[in-house]
Amino acid sequence: MDTKKVVVFAMHDELESAYPPLNISIGAASTDADVILAFSRNGINILDKNYIPTPSKGKEYLANALDDFKATSISDLLSIAVNLRVRFVVPDIDVPESRIVSELPFEKVPLKWLLNEAATADLFVHF
């Protein structure tokens, strides 16, 4: 069977937008799919080891709910993704180098490359 390709685009860094791309990436990678997780200028903060997700206005209850359910932290999810060989990329046109604060492995890629990868993926989602 052919290896599936999954491209996930993290476009925002609010609490409710940070978990879905990581969960989908980890789930897909755990099935041996090739996974690319891209971060936009508004999602790049997720890669910062000091990132503390805050919910959007009106969704403040989410922070307490995640604590109550003992949800895995964003930092731990990123570590799991790295261990599962999820490929982190940042479109070069979207995020200046000075905005990227990360100790995690990531690649700067041309936006055109990312769009081509998304077009040929078995699954492409964005949040």
Side-chain angles (χ1 to χ4, degrees):
M1 183 150 85
D2 291 335
T3 301
K4 300 292 183 188
K5 179 169 45 171
V6 176
V7 177
V8 182
F9 205 171
M11 299 181 74
H12 305 282
D13 65 358
E14 292 85 3
L15 176 64
E16 66 275 10
S17 299
Y19 276 91
L22 289 167
N23 288 331
I24 289 172
S25 296
I26 289 168
S30 70
T31 67
D32 292 327
D34 289 331
V35 180
I36 297 168
L37 177 52
F39 298 89
S40 75
R41 73 176 63 115
N42 294 324
I44 193 66
N45 295 331
I46 297 169
L47 281 176
D48 184 344
K49 72 174 186 165
N50 297 316
Y51 167 69
I52 299 172
T54 55
S56 296
K57 185 176 180 178
K59 297 191 178 189
E60 293 84 0
Y61 64 90
L62 287 174
N64 290 334
L66 291 171
D67 285 341
D68 292 346
F69 288 113
K70 298 186 182 355
T72 305
S73 71
I74 297 294
S75 177
D76 287 345
L77 289 174
L78 287 166
S79 294
I80 293 167
V82 168
N83 290 335
L84 288 171
R85 296 182 305 282
V86 171
R87 186 174 173 187
F88 297 151
V89 302
V90 177
D92 61 0
I93 196 167
D94 205 28
V95 181
E97 195 74 39
S98 61
R99 286 257 342 259
I100 303 171
V101 179
S102 180
E103 295 176 359
L104 297 170
F106 70 90
E107 302 168 59
K108 294 277 286 184
V109 297
L111 181 59
K112 184 176 181 178
W113 177 89
L114 179 59
L115 295 174
N116 286 334
E117 290 297 312
T120 61
D122 295 291
L123 175 66
F124 170 63
V125 293
H126 60 85
F127 297 91

